[in-house]
Amino acid sequence: MTARPEPQPLLLRNGRLLDPVTGTYAEGDLLAVDGRIAETGPGVTAPAGAEVRDLRGGFVLPGLIDAHVHVTAITADLASLGTTSPFYIGAHAARIMGGMLDRGFTAVRDVAGADYGIAAAQADGAIRGPRVFFGGRALSQTGGHGDDRGPGADPLPAWSGSRIADGIEAVRAAARDELRKGSHHIKVMASGGVASPTDRIDSVQYSMDELRAVVDEAQAVNRYVCAHAYTARAVNRALEAGIRSIEHGNLIDASSVSLLVERDAFLVPTLVTYWALKKEGRQFGLPEGSWRKVDEVLDAGLSALDLAYRGGVRLAYGTDLLGGMHRHQSEEFRIRAQVQPPIDIVRAATCAAAELLRAEGQLGTLAAGAHADVIVLDGDPLQDIGLLADPAAHMPLVIQAGAVVRQR
């Protein structure tokens, strides 16, 4: 394996640099050296050999972070992935990741499917795309959300985004195996879901002892657990077991909000995926039975986000898109704007997401020492969040590790 070569120094002049924590801009320059932000401020000196770009007042933000993706979900028919060549999946995953980077997402958290190989290929420069914080294969009970088999199917295929583990010792072994392979987190399926063929959305999955066993294994190696969960009952069980991040949460209630705040946990809503699944899911392979489940969570999602936001829950940006629907990744900004002010949506996709990834100070910030992952907009997203929802028109520059990776 070969390491990605370091780019030449890059100096961005005359930008308006956003601190997402304070929500304020500072006019000045940004210097990137060896893939890191070396200096910001007015009148920064360009080192020898530096590339210099005049932004002419452009708005500079940290690179965006999507905290809930599946880069190997090349179709909405997830069951078919088990019998699809991994080489074919990898080729299409590379295309999906390139699209994410073009939309300004310089880092993502993959919560079922991606593994150390995809992360290493991106880090080496073999794949053009965001940095990948992967969880390997999610843990599902038999008949749970990660069990893609229909009623008449036999063993789960080897190439799948999930693995079946039943019982305390089995979930311990499965978690240890995913952690052995370098996973940044472990995902468990704690409730039913839309894409799974044999469970109900309102079901709860895994016993409390099984959930606690997974949490114990992750915490033993300084990792954490995230949980797919929709209903208040499923969410609350996961939080009581020590799970740090709740994915989706469309059917939470006030008790869930209280627990999320009390446990200092994160909620990662993924509203755009339900909008896209309802509109295009069948076109991109979603089975009819799964498509009929979408309505159960579609309308409730925005109300849940509003409830969580008003209750002070820590929120991160996520999308959960599948197949050809990945192109709608930036639409989540517009959807959330129905209940959140722009600065808080930007925080969810920068500094808050970085904290969830345990990469604060490294990602989601323009502070010196951070990775030089930067986007430039031609307008102020704090005044019009729609600028981020339309990156092709309003994002002239994407920079990753101090190198220009897309320019208009």
Side-chain angles (χ1 to χ4, degrees):
M1 296 185 185
T2 58
R4 183 195 298 263
E6 295 292 354
Q8 67 185 103
L10 175 66
L11 179 60
L12 304 178
R13 286 212 182 277
N14 301 317
R16 303 177 195 184
L17 280 58
L18 178 67
D19 179 346
V21 175
T22 64
T24 58
Y25 290 102
E27 295 186 5
D29 309 331
L30 183 149
L31 175 64
V33 178
D34 294 334
R36 297 273 181 170
I37 297 174
E39 185 181 355
T40 62
V44 174
T45 301
E51 177 184 1
V52 180
R53 295 195 176 223
D54 189 344
L55 302 183
R56 300 180 180 180
F59 292 81
V60 183
L61 278 66
L64 304 173
I65 303 168
D66 190 332
H68 190 120
V69 305
H70 302 283
V71 301
T72 60
I74 65 173
T75 173
D77 182 7
L78 299 180
S80 70
L81 296 177
T83 54
T84 301
S85 163
F87 296 101
Y88 184 84
I89 292 172
H92 281 276
R95 175 184 52 81
I96 288 168
M97 290 170 64
M100 292 176 172
L101 190 61
D102 287 341
R103 290 184 285 271
F105 290 92
T106 55
V108 296
R109 183 181 65 149
D110 189 289
V111 287
D115 65 3
Y116 62 93
I118 284 179
Q122 187 281 329
D124 291 346
I127 290 179
R128 178 180 177 274
R131 305 171 190 273
V132 180
F133 290 74
F134 65 92
R137 297 168 72 188
L139 275 54
S140 172
Q141 67 177 47
T142 296
H145 177 55
D147 191 340
D148 296 327
R149 299 171 296 176
D154 284 325
L156 195 67
W159 180 255
S160 173
S162 300
R163 59 190 296 169
I164 304 302
D166 295 308
I168 295 172
E169 295 310 313
V171 298
R172 284 192 186 278
R176 288 172 180 173
D177 191 41
E178 295 303 326
L179 292 164
R180 173 190 67 82
K181 293 182 283 189
S183 292
H184 297 90
H185 59 272
I186 296 294
K187 182 183 181 183
V188 295
M189 304 302 193
S191 85
V194 170
S196 39
T198 62
D199 62 358
R200 294 168 52 96
I201 284 176
D202 62 2
S203 68
V204 295
Q205 297 175 6
Y206 277 130
S207 69
M208 291 297 291
D209 286 340
E210 287 170 314
L211 293 174
R212 290 189 180 107
V214 179
V215 171
D216 286 346
E217 294 302 327
Q219 290 181 345
V221 292
N222 299 311
R223 295 293 185 262
Y224 68 92
V225 181
C226 65
H228 162 101
Y230 281 116
T231 66
R233 181 184 173 204
V235 168
N236 294 359
R237 291 173 79 250
L239 292 169
E240 288 164 0
I243 284 167
R244 180 170 179 259
S245 168
I246 299 296
E247 313 303 306
H248 317 302
N250 295 49
L251 303 172
I252 59 173
D253 62 16
S255 68
S256 308
V257 171
S258 296
L259 264 177
L260 281 159
V261 173
E262 175 189 321
R263 300 299 175 97
D264 203 27
F266 284 86
L267 176 65
V268 187
T270 58
L271 304 182
V272 68
T273 195
Y274 312 108
W275 171 84
L277 286 169
K278 187 64 178 178
K279 183 179 177 183
E280 302 176 353
R282 288 179 294 185
Q283 174 186 344
F284 290 108
L286 188 70
E288 182 71 22
S290 293
W291 183 78
R292 290 196 211 101
K293 292 183 183 181
V294 173
D295 285 335
E296 295 182 51
V297 293
L298 176 61
D299 295 333
L302 202 60
S303 297
L305 172 62
D306 185 45
L307 185 67
Y309 174 68
R310 289 187 288 107
V313 173
R314 295 203 289 176
L315 297 163
Y317 188 99
T319 56
D320 192 31
L321 292 161
L322 309 173
M325 293 170 282
H326 278 102
R327 73 189 193 282
H328 298 304
Q329 185 178 26
S330 302
E331 188 67 23
E332 181 81 7
F333 286 106
R334 209 183 324 263
I335 294 172
R336 292 194 184 200
Q338 296 177 62
V339 297
Q340 284 186 279
I343 181 57
D344 286 308
I345 308 172
V346 170
R347 286 174 178 140
T350 55
C351 55
E355 188 176 357
L356 170 56
L357 270 54
R358 292 181 169 166
E360 55 266 52
Q362 302 297 309
L363 300 172
T365 178
L366 298 179
H371 291 291
D373 292 358
V374 178
I375 61 172
V376 178
L377 298 171
D378 61 11
D380 184 358
L382 305 190
Q383 298 300 315
D384 180 6
I385 198 67
L387 300 171
L388 282 168
D390 192 1
H394 299 289
M395 191 181 293
L397 212 58
V398 178
I399 295 161
Q400 185 184 52
V404 174
V405 292
R406 187 183 79 81
Q407 57 186 332
R408 188 173 61 193

